[in-house]
Amino acid sequence: MRTARNRMAAAAAGLSVVALLAFASPAAAQEVKKATVWGDLGFVTQDMLNRAAGDGNNFLHPQHNYAQTRYYPNSQINTSNVHKLRPAWIFQTEVNETMEVAPIVVNGVMYVTTAFNHVYALDAATGEEIWHYKHKMGPITTYCCGPNNRGVAVAGNRVFMGTLDAKLVALDAKTGKLLWETQIADPELGYSETMAPIVVEDKVIIGTNGGEYGIRGFVKAFKADSGELLWTFYTIPENSVGEWRETDPMGRSLNRDIQAEKAALEKLGDPYEHLGGGVWQTPAYDPETRRLYFVVGNPSPDLDGSIRPGDNLYTDSLVSIDVDTGEYVCHYQYIPHDVWDLDAVSPPIITTVKDENGQDVKGVLHGGKLPYVFVHRADDCSLIRYSEPMVPIENLWALPTPEGTRMLPGANGGVEWSAMAINPVLRYVFAANLHQPMTYHVESTPYPEGKLWLGGAFKVIPGEEQWGNVTAIDYDTGRIVWKVRTEQPMIGGLLATAGGLVFAGEGNGWFKAYDAASGAVLWQFQLGAGVNAPASSYAVGGKQYIVVAAGGNVQLNYKRGNDIVAFTLAD
Amino acid sequence: MRLPQLLLLALGGALLAAEVRAGEDIEALAEVCRGCHGDENALPADPAYPIIAGQEFYYLYVQLKDFRSGLRENETMQEVVADLDRATLKAIAQYWSEKPWPKTAFTASEEEVQQAEQAIVSAECTACHLSAFEGNSRVPRLANQQPGYLEKTMLDLKYKRRRNSPNMMALFKDFSEESIRALARYLAAL
C-alpha cells in the first residue's frame, strides 16, 4: 500500500524523471539525429548536391552550389544585426602557410584543407577536431603560386581532395581514413593540384595546374568509388591554331604578328603538346543540360609567344563540355595568343541574365584578369556583354620586351582566381580586385622538361601604389553599381547572403561585411593574418555562422597564419 | 681549388669510379661530398660552395642530373658525377636531404635588409621559395645558405653562366649587382 511518504517519493521520482527528460532532450537529440528532409546525417546524396542552392544549413560545394553563385540562402545574419557578429570559435591548423580553402559543412561537420594537403573534420558548432588526415606527399611537387589547397568535394560518405603531387585522394568522411588514391598525372612534368574537385553522380571531376611548366592541360573524370579514370578532356586540342583572331573581346588589337606566327607554325608545327592550359578552379555544373562550365588558364610559356604560334586554343577561354562523356560543346576565347598571363581563372557562375534584348536567358558570368565581368549565353558560350573595367588599364596589349614593358593590368590583374558571388535578387555580381602594376619581360628559352617556364619574368614595380577593390556590377547592364577601395590588392573570394550582405577578407587581416546594395561597410573584424580565402556559411541548431580561413597568401606575400574562424551573432 | 680538395677529389673520383654502378655504401660516396660541402656539423670548405646538408631532395637530384648532362656547367661537379647512375644520384640526394642544416652565423646590415626586401617584393621570391625561404621539393632552400655561394649563383644566372634554370636567368637579368649582393647577405642571415 502506498504511504503518503511513498506517494511523495513517487511524485518526486516522477517529477525528477520529467526533469531529467526535459534536460536530457538536447543530449538525446545529439545522440539520435533523425534523417532530415535533406538526407541522413553525414551522407551527402546527389539530390542534396543538386539542391544546394536552396540549402541554408549546409555548405556542400566550394562555391555553395553547382551554379557557383556563392549566394547563401539564410538571412538570420543580415544588414540590421551584422554589427553584433562575434567569433564563435577558432581552430588552429598544424600548417602555418597560405590558406585558400572554402570550408565545406555537412550537417554540422566541417571539412577544411591546408597548404601541403592536410584535411581536418571539425565540429562546426564548437570548432573541435573530429579527425585529421595528413597526405603522404611524394618527393616531387610542383606549384607556381603557393602550396595551397582550395578545399574538398563531398559526396556520399566520401571526401575528395587533389594534392600538390598530382594525386586525387578519397577519404572516409566519418574517420578520415584513406579509401583510395590515384595519380592524376606526372608531377615531374609540372602537373599538380590546388583546386577543389567536383562530384557529379558517380564521377569526381578535376582539372590541373601547370600552365607555367609546359603541360598539356585537361579536365579528368574519375570513378568516385574506385578512382578509375573515366574520361579526359584536353583543354588543348591537337589543332590549337584557331582562327588567327587579332582582337580582344572589346575589339582592341592584340598586336599580333600573324605573318611571323604563320612562319613559325610552318617551322615548328602545332605547339599543342606543351601549350599549357591548366584549369585552376572548380567547374560549374548545370544538371538540366548536364554540362560543365570552366575557364582555362594561360598558354605555356606565359610571356613568349614566338614558339607557340596560333590562337592557342582553348587557353584563356570559357569552355563547356558534357559531363557524361567529357566532350566539347562550346567555348569563348577571351585572349587568343596571350603573352601577358592574363588567363581565365575565377570560377564561372551560372545564373539567369538579360540578353541584348532584355529577355531572361540562362547565362554564365566570369570575372577576368582582364578586369571585366563577362556575361555569356550558357547554351552556346557566346558573349552578351562585358562590364565596365574594374581596375585601371594602361598601355593595353603592349608587347613584353627584354627590358620590360609596363602594362596595366599586371599579371595578377583584375579578379585573378578570387571567387565572385552574386545576389540574384539585386542581380549584382561582386568581385574582389587587384591593382598591382608590373613590367612584363620576355626571354625565349626552349622547353625545360618540367621546370618553371615563363618565357621571361614578371616584375612588380616596387614603390608604385598598389590597392584593391570590392566591386558590385549589375550583370544585366554591365554598369558598376558601387566600388569600395581597399588598402591592398585583394585575393581570395567573396560570399553573398540572403541577409543582404557581402563578406570579403583582405591581406591585412580585416574581414568585412558589406551592404550588398550600397557597399557600406557594416562590420569588420581583425583576424591577425591575411584573409585570402572565400568565406562559407552554415547553420547548426538553428544558429547561422560565417566561417573563413586566415592564413595569408603567397602570391601577394600576405602575413601567414593557420586559423579557421567561425562567427555568429552575439546573444 | 686547393690541394687537399684536389687530392680528396682524385681519391674520391677513384672511389666513385669503382663503386659506380653498385650505388651502395653511400657513406663512402658522401665523404667525397664532405670534402667540399661540409656537412651538418661543418660549413663548406670555401665560401663559394653551397651547403647541401638539409637541402631539398628533388632539387639536389635535379642538380646532380644537370651536372651529369652538362646542362649545369661546373668542371668539378661534372667529374664527380660523370659515371654515376640515376639510382646513385637519387641516393646521394636522399642522403643529404635527410641531414640537418648546419648552424650558421651569417649577418646582414640594416641597409642590406632594406634593399633585399625591395628586391623580394619585385621578384615575388616567396611564391616559390616560400615565406621563410625554406624551399620545397624542386625549389631549393635559400635560408642560411652561404652568402658567397648565393651571390655567385645569382650573378651566374644573371650573366647566363648558369643555364639550367631559364626562369631564374630571366628574373636576374636586370637585377643590379648591388641588390644581388644585398639579397645574398639577407638570405644567409635569415
Side-chain angles (χ1 to χ4, degrees):
Chain A
M1 181 173 70
R2 287 253 173 106
T3 62
R5 204 199 221 177
N6 284 351
R7 244 180 279 138
M8 265 175 48
L15 258 172
S16 56
V17 168
V18 168
L20 204 64
L21 274 173
F23 283 109
S25 38
Q30 263 177 347
E31 280 162 345
V32 184
K33 274 197 174 151
K34 292 194 286 213
T36 65
V37 176
W38 305 107
D40 279 332
L41 172 70
F43 191 91
V44 179
T45 62
Q46 185 58 41
D47 191 54
M48 284 164 73
L49 291 174
N50 288 342
R51 302 215 234 174
D55 189 342
N57 287 305
N58 298 318
F59 202 94
L60 298 177
H61 300 264
Q63 265 63 257
H64 182 250
N65 50 69
Y66 276 133
Q68 309 212 117
T69 63
R70 298 207 118 255
Y71 179 72
Y72 201 71
N74 189 324
S75 56
Q76 187 183 90
I77 299 170
N78 57 58
T79 53
S80 66
N81 61 22
V82 70
H83 63 275
K84 296 199 294 172
L85 208 59
R86 50 99 183 150
W89 52 257
I90 297 172
F91 181 78
Q92 301 198 15
T93 72
E94 199 176 280
V95 183
N96 192 319
E97 186 45 273
T98 175
M99 294 188 88
E100 297 185 7
V101 62
I104 298 291
V105 183
V106 182
N107 281 332
V109 177
M110 182 181 297
Y111 301 99
V112 292
T113 59
T114 68
F116 299 111
N117 300 125
H118 294 220
V119 186
Y120 286 92
L122 309 175
D123 181 323
T126 64
E128 288 170 297
E129 181 182 311
I130 300 173
W131 55 252
H132 175 195
Y133 167 82
K134 288 198 234 197
H135 176 61
K136 257 191 99 202
M137 197 79 75
I140 307 172
T141 58
T142 307
Y143 44 88
C144 72
C145 309
N148 52 279
N149 186 271
R150 298 193 171 118
V152 299
V154 292
N157 47 18
R158 300 189 189 99
V159 169
F160 301 92
M161 173 177 64
T163 70
L164 294 174
D165 54 353
K167 292 199 164 115
L168 180 61
V169 307
L171 310 178
D172 181 303
K174 288 240 167 22
T175 63
K177 286 214 121 77
L178 182 67
L179 296 173
W180 55 255
E181 69 174 31
T182 190
Q183 191 73 51
I184 298 171
D186 187 355
E188 206 164 338
L189 296 177
Y191 295 93
S192 79
E193 299 292 347
T194 54
M195 64 179 276
I198 179 183
V199 179
V200 178
E201 291 151 17
D202 60 331
K203 294 176 266 294
V204 187
I205 295 158
I206 194 163
T208 181
N209 297 351
E212 277 63 39
Y213 295 86
I215 58 154
R216 184 182 176 198
F218 55 72
V219 174
K220 291 192 176 186
F222 296 89
K223 272 200 104 196
D225 58 6
S226 65
E228 180 199 325
L229 179 66
L230 288 171
W231 53 251
T232 300
F233 170 79
Y234 284 105
T235 56
I236 310 288
E238 276 178 27
N239 183 349
S240 69
V241 164
E243 297 158 348
W244 307 99
R245 199 181 104 206
E246 295 186 63
T247 56
D248 70 8
M250 296 79 199
R252 293 173 293 216
S253 167
L254 290 161
N255 295 316
R256 287 174 75 175
D257 183 348
I258 301 292
Q259 299 278 49
E261 284 186 50
K262 286 190 165 161
L265 184 65
E266 274 291 313
K267 210 173 115 203
L268 306 168
D270 195 298
Y272 75 92
E273 271 171 342
H274 299 297
L275 197 45
V279 177
W280 283 104
Q281 282 268 38
T282 317
Y285 173 58
D286 183 352
E288 250 178 30
T289 57
R290 298 187 71 76
R291 285 164 55 176
L292 295 164
Y293 293 83
F294 53 88
V295 282
V296 181
N298 57 282
S300 294
D302 305 40
L303 293 149
D304 175 20
S306 70
I307 53 178
R308 47 171 173 86
D311 289 359
N312 307 146
L313 297 177
Y314 298 110
T315 64
D316 290 25
S317 303
L318 171 71
V319 178
S320 181
I321 63 177
D322 178 283
V323 77
D324 297 304
T325 59
E327 270 168 27
Y328 168 90
V329 178
C330 64
H331 83 278
Y332 179 90
Q333 189 174 37
Y334 298 107
I335 305 171
H337 195 79
D338 176 17
V339 292
W340 303 271
D341 190 34
L342 292 183
D343 52 331
V345 208
S346 174
I349 299 175
I350 303 173
T351 189
T352 305
V353 304
K354 297 234 179 286
D355 69 6
E356 298 90 335
N357 306 312
Q359 298 303 312
D360 274 350
V361 291
K362 190 179 283 184
V364 182
L365 309 177
H366 166 65
K369 279 190 179 181
L370 184 57
Y372 303 82
V373 169
F374 297 94
V375 182
H376 300 261
R377 242 175 304 268
D379 60 5
D380 64 359
C381 300
S382 62
L383 188 66
I384 298 172
R385 69 179 60 84
Y386 50 86
S387 71
E388 297 175 272
M390 294 178 274
V391 287
I393 291 177
E394 232 179 77
N395 207 18
L396 192 66
W397 310 137
L399 295 173
T401 53
E403 319 75 47
T405 303
R406 177 199 153 87
M407 186 185 92
L408 299 178
N412 281 334
V415 175
E416 242 285 5
W417 54 262
S418 304
M420 302 197 298
I422 65 169
N423 182 315
V425 175
L426 294 171
R427 293 176 78 118
Y428 293 170
V429 59
F430 308 100
N433 305 135
L434 278 136
H435 169 70
Q436 190 187 44
M438 280 191 185
T439 48
Y440 293 83
H441 305 246
V442 66
E443 179 150 325
S444 190
T445 54
Y447 172 65
E449 314 278 331
K451 292 184 187 168
L452 187 63
W453 193 34
L454 300 179
F458 310 98
K459 304 256 178 78
V460 174
I461 306 173
E464 233 199 270
E465 213 196 344
Q466 300 182 9
W467 38 264
N469 288 326
V470 179
T471 306
I473 288 169
D474 176 332
Y475 49 78
D476 293 324
T477 61
R479 303 298 314 275
I480 291 177
V481 181
W482 55 256
K483 200 200 273 190
V484 178
R485 183 173 284 207
T486 57
E487 182 188 57
Q488 295 172 311
M490 295 187 77
I491 204 160
L494 308 178
L495 176 74
T497 76
L501 297 167
V502 177
F503 287 91
E506 296 173 41
N508 54 22
W510 285 107
F511 183 49
K512 296 178 181 168
Y514 296 80
D515 183 316
S518 68
V521 176
L522 300 178
W523 170 90
Q524 57 187 19
F525 192 87
Q526 174 53 237
L527 280 158
V531 185
N532 299 115
S536 300
S537 182
Y538 61 95
V540 185
K543 214 163 168 14
Q544 187 186 4
Y545 296 78
I546 306 288
V547 62
V548 76
N553 178 265
V554 157
Q555 280 169 273
L556 300 176
N557 206 10
Y558 289 142
K559 184 172 174 197
R560 309 298 196 274
N562 63 341
D563 281 3
I564 306 283
V565 185
F567 296 87
T568 196
L569 293 170
D571 298 315
Chain B
M1 205 196 327
R2 296 178 228 145
L3 196 55
Q5 273 80 50
L6 266 170
L7 280 175
L8 198 58
L9 187 61
L11 255 172
L15 195 69
L16 284 170
E19 313 272 289
V20 133
R21 262 140 233 107
E24 296 299 313
D25 200 5
I26 288 299
E27 280 299 338
L29 294 174
E31 270 311 300
V32 180
C33 312
R34 263 191 191 88
C36 294
H37 291 289
D39 60 14
E40 65 270 33
N41 299 312
L43 292 182
D46 187 291
Y49 300 166
I51 294 166
I52 56 174
Q55 186 51 280
E56 288 293 314
F57 158 74
Y58 192 61
Y59 173 75
L60 285 175
Y61 172 56
V62 170
Q63 297 313 303
L64 292 174
K65 270 202 299 176
D66 287 352
F67 283 128
R68 192 180 63 170
S69 69
L71 188 60
R72 182 172 174 180
E73 287 176 10
N74 183 295
E75 243 183 79
T76 313
M77 285 308 298
Q78 268 169 297
E79 272 214 48
V80 169
V81 297
D83 296 314
L84 300 182
D85 65 5
R86 254 187 167 209
T88 309
L89 294 182
K90 275 199 175 145
I92 296 175
Q94 187 68 34
Y95 176 91
W96 286 109
S97 72
E98 287 168 355
K99 297 285 178 206
W101 195 273
K103 289 212 165 22
T104 64
F106 304 119
T107 57
S109 73
E110 207 32 76
E111 208 197 306
E112 282 164 346
V113 169
Q114 269 187 27
Q115 249 200 309
E117 282 176 347
Q118 260 215 344
I120 287 163
V121 165
S122 170
E124 301 182 293
C125 312
T126 60
C128 296
H129 290 281
L130 301 187
S131 50
F133 290 93
E134 68 266 37
N136 177 247
S137 182
R138 52 172 77 235
V139 178
R141 170 174 171 164
L142 303 178
N144 313 121
Q145 182 55 277
Q146 300 239 88
Y149 171 74
L150 287 173
E151 187 178 344
K152 176 179 187 305
T153 302
M154 287 190 273
L155 290 171
D156 283 349
L157 289 164
K158 175 184 166 74
Y159 293 120
K160 299 194 185 350
R161 293 184 290 250
R162 176 170 165 182
R163 307 193 63 91
N164 73 333
S165 182
N167 213 69
M168 295 308 296
M169 279 163 52
L171 208 64
F172 283 113
K173 199 160 145 215
D174 40 46
F175 264 62
S176 70
E177 292 198 3
E178 202 198 329
S179 61
I180 284 178
R181 197 163 302 126
L183 202 48
R185 304 266 172 279
Y186 171 87
L187 292 168
L190 278 174

